[in-house]
């Protein structure tokens, strides 16, 4: 007789209670806008905040639960558009007068609960100890306000969180199946596409899942399986390429400025030598340490001379080349990244609405044990992360050699580590130290998934000591 799956449904119920307490009870909790909302809100037929709000009220300090409706328009190429569009429709059903941000929260909450169900019900393959361990980890870590607070915002971080979790869960499910499902395979490529297309920074992740798809090529002999893998992998590679090719020109210019002047030259002990190495005239040394959005700069960021001497002559491959020739500098930047790598949430963006009377920029710490504990307890230096990654990859490789039947499952653990590494490299090469903590969000998700894998491995080792049942072999 088949056991009742009380763990899967029970974990979803607990998750729903947590989300309800954080997002759908008073007071309203969200994340303040840093200026990014305007480019995406119209895809849901939602208008940006109007001029009756002051700059201080619009940005950074306070969240907003109500927005006016407006015409539908797509001004930003991102898979996030789909979810904002759906939220816009739900919002019109809930309240025809104004858009309630809770509609966005409903969309993302349902996706997170669905992801939790996939993890516990399918990725854990019915093993009760594994289901309980995974459910506890996911509920404790990924239902933290540091993550789910983003659900009441128009930031793309929610899409990154949900679809990296879901893609990983589906990859594990496929790895565990003796005769893998074609439906799960299609879902893997769909979820990986949504993740890669959610923002330019995530585009390289598409290549990672394309490689994993190819790794599954021989798992089934039929043509349909092989065609889906070949087509899906090709589609993911094309997606990654097209995201970069069609990135807005102005965004490329902003990123290049940030990478050079707020990246390589920021805190550089030898600015003059760095400029020579990049082939940039010495007169631009005065811009070292400045970012693209500063107004108090001696040379304007959009000046024609910068286009002539910098933007038209250099690209991000030149930045990669510089770091390869100057490894000490990349270590410096990795130290800068490590100092902010444990911050799940942006601490400079307020949680509350102004009407509540909380100080500007005040944060809610409801259900924040993981995000706050991670920030306070994990060392913020490159050495710690380097040692962690070496040990993690070393253990995976040891298991890889020891148990050939679990290699495709172990591939997933390596994929997550690779995504974490990419998630650090891309911001540093693509945007310097500009808003670095927020740009490391995908690293946080990847790193936390690695911790979940580590906890599961430790529990399995403890069980192996006391129980030699076939399930553990």
């Amino acid at each position: 007789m088949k056991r009742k799956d009380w763990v899967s449904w029970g974990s979803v119920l607990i998750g729903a209670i947590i989300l309800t307490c954080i997002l759908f009870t008073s007071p309203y909790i969200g994340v303040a806008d840093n200026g990014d909302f305007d480019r995406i809100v119209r895809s849901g037929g939602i208008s940006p905040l109007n001029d009756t709000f002051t700059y201080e009220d619009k940005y950074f300090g306070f969240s907003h639960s109500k927005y006016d409706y407006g015409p539908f328009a797509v001004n930003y190429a991102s898979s996030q558009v789909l979810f904002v569009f759906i939220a816009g429709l739900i919002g019109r059903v809930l309240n025809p007068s104004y858009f309630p941000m809770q509609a966005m929260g409903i969309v993302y909450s349902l996706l997170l609960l669905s992801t939790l169900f996939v993890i516990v019900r399918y990725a854990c393959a019915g093993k009760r100890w594994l289901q309980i361990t995974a459910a506890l980890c996911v509920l404790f870590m990924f239902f933290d306000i540091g993550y789910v607070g983003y659900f009441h915002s128009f930031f793309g971080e929610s899409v990154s969180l949900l679809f990296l979790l879901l893609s990983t869960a589906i990859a594990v499910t496929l790895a565990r199946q003796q005769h893998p499902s074609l439906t799960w395979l299609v879902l893997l490529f769909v979820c990986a596409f949504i993740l890669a297309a959610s923002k330019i920074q995530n585009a390289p992740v598409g290549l990672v899942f394309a490689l994993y798809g190819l790794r599954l090529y021989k798992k089934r002999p039929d043509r349909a399986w092989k065609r889906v893998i070949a087509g899906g992998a090709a589609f993911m590679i094309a997606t990654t390429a097209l995201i970069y090719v069609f990135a807005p020109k102005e965004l490329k210019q902003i990123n290049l400025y940030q990478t050079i002047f707020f990246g390589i030259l920021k805190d550089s002990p030898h600015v003059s030598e760095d400029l020579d190495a990049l082939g940039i005239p010495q007169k631009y040394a005065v811009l070292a340490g400045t970012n693209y959005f500063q107004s108090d700069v001696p040379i304007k960021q959009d000046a024609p001379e910068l286009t002539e001497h910098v933007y038209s002559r250099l690209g991000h491959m030149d930045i990669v080349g510089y770091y390869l020739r100057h490894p000490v500098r990349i270590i410096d930047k990795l130290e800068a990244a490590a100092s902010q790598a444990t911050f799940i949430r942006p601490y400079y963006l307020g949680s509350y609405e102004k009407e509540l009377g909380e100080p500007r920029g005040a944060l809610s710490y409801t259900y924040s044990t993981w995000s706050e504990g991670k920030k306070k307890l994990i060392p913020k230096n490159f050495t710690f992360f380097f040692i962690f990654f070496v040990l993690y990859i070393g253990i995976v490789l040891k298991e890889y050699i020891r148990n050939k039947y679990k290699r495709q499952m172990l591939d997933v653990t390596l994929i997550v580590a690779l995504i974490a590494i990419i998630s650090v490299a891309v911001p540093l090469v693509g945007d310097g130290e500009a808003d670095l903590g927020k740009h490391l969000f995908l690293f946080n998700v990847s790193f936390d998934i690695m911790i979940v894998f580590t906890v599961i491995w430790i529990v399995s080792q403890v069980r192996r000591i006391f129980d030699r049942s076939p399930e553990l072999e």
Side-chain angles (χ1 to χ4, degrees), residues 123-396:
C124 293
K127 297 180 180 180
R128 189 57 54 83
W129 73 270
L130 183 55
Q131 287 182 307
I132 294 173
T133 304
L136 289 174
C137 287
V138 173
L139 288 168
F140 178 62
M141 297 165 67
F142 295 107
F143 280 68
D144 184 284
I145 194 172
Y147 283 124
V148 304
Y150 274 112
F151 290 5
H152 277 171
S153 79
F154 294 110
F155 287 118
E157 275 72 8
S158 297
V159 180
S160 298
L161 165 68
L162 293 165
F163 285 91
L164 180 54
L165 281 175
L166 192 51
S167 297
T168 303
I170 294 172
V172 170
T173 301
L174 285 166
R176 288 188 176 280
Q177 292 176 338
Q178 292 297 320
H179 186 75
S181 163
L182 197 62
T183 300
W184 282 117
L185 180 65
V186 172
L187 284 173
L188 174 65
F189 284 123
V190 170
C191 291
F193 164 75
I194 292 172
L195 172 62
S198 61
K199 53 173 60 181
I200 294 176
Q201 178 186 332
N202 293 354
V205 176
L207 299 178
V208 177
F209 280 103
L211 290 174
Y212 180 71
L214 294 173
R215 180 75 172 87
L216 298 173
Y217 188 77
K218 294 183 178 180
K219 197 156 185 179
R220 272 178 51 171
D222 54 288
R223 289 185 178 180
W225 177 261
K226 295 181 183 297
R227 284 173 179 169
V228 170
I229 284 182
F235 180 70
M236 294 307 305
I237 293 169
T239 295
T240 299
L242 290 172
I243 288 171
Y244 283 114
V245 169
F246 290 103
K249 182 180 178 181
E250 60 273 16
L251 188 59
K252 293 180 181 179
Q253 179 173 302
I254 292 170
N255 289 345
L256 192 58
Y257 185 99
Q258 305 285 50
T259 301
I260 295 171
F261 297 105
F262 205 65
I264 291 175
L265 301 182
K266 184 177 182 291
D267 303 320
S268 171
H270 35 67
V271 172
S272 179
E273 290 87 341
D274 288 337
L275 287 170
D276 287 339
L278 292 166
I280 298 175
Q282 290 294 324
K283 67 177 181 176
Y284 297 112
V286 294
L287 297 177
T290 64
N291 69 65
Y292 191 88
F293 301 101
Q294 279 183 236
S295 57
D296 56 337
V297 289
I299 302 173
K300 293 299 181 183
Q301 294 89 337
D302 57 354
E305 57 185 302
L306 271 173
T307 300
E308 179 184 354
H309 296 138
V310 179
Y311 304 140
S312 64
R313 294 173 54 188
L314 295 173
H316 287 100
M317 291 308 299
D318 298 295
I319 306 303
V320 172
Y322 168 87
Y323 280 126
L324 290 176
R325 296 190 303 271
H326 303 82
V328 174
R329 297 291 289 126
I330 191 60
I331 296 297
D332 291 341
K333 295 304 166 185
L334 288 172
E335 284 289 358
S339 70
Q340 302 182 55
T342 61
F343 299 165
I344 295 175
R345 68 199 303 191
Y347 284 88
Y348 64 94
L349 298 177
S351 300
Y352 297 102
E353 292 186 285
K354 184 178 181 180
E355 292 77 9
L356 196 63
E358 294 285 345
R360 187 174 189 274
L363 297 172
S364 170
Y365 292 94
T366 303
Y367 201 71
S368 62
T369 303
W370 174 247
S371 56
E372 290 304 297
K374 184 179 180 182
K375 182 185 75 169
K376 294 173 183 175
L377 298 178
I378 293 182
K380 298 175 182 61
N381 57 71
F382 172 67
T383 302
F384 166 79
F385 288 101
F386 180 77
I387 293 172
F388 178 87
F389 273 77
V390 168
L391 290 175
Y392 177 93
I393 294 172
I395 290 171
V396 171

Side-chain angles (χ1 to χ4, degrees), residues 87-100:
L89 297 181
I90 293 174
R92 284 167 167 79
V93 173
L94 295 177
N95 193 317
S97 302
Y98 61 84
F99 174 77

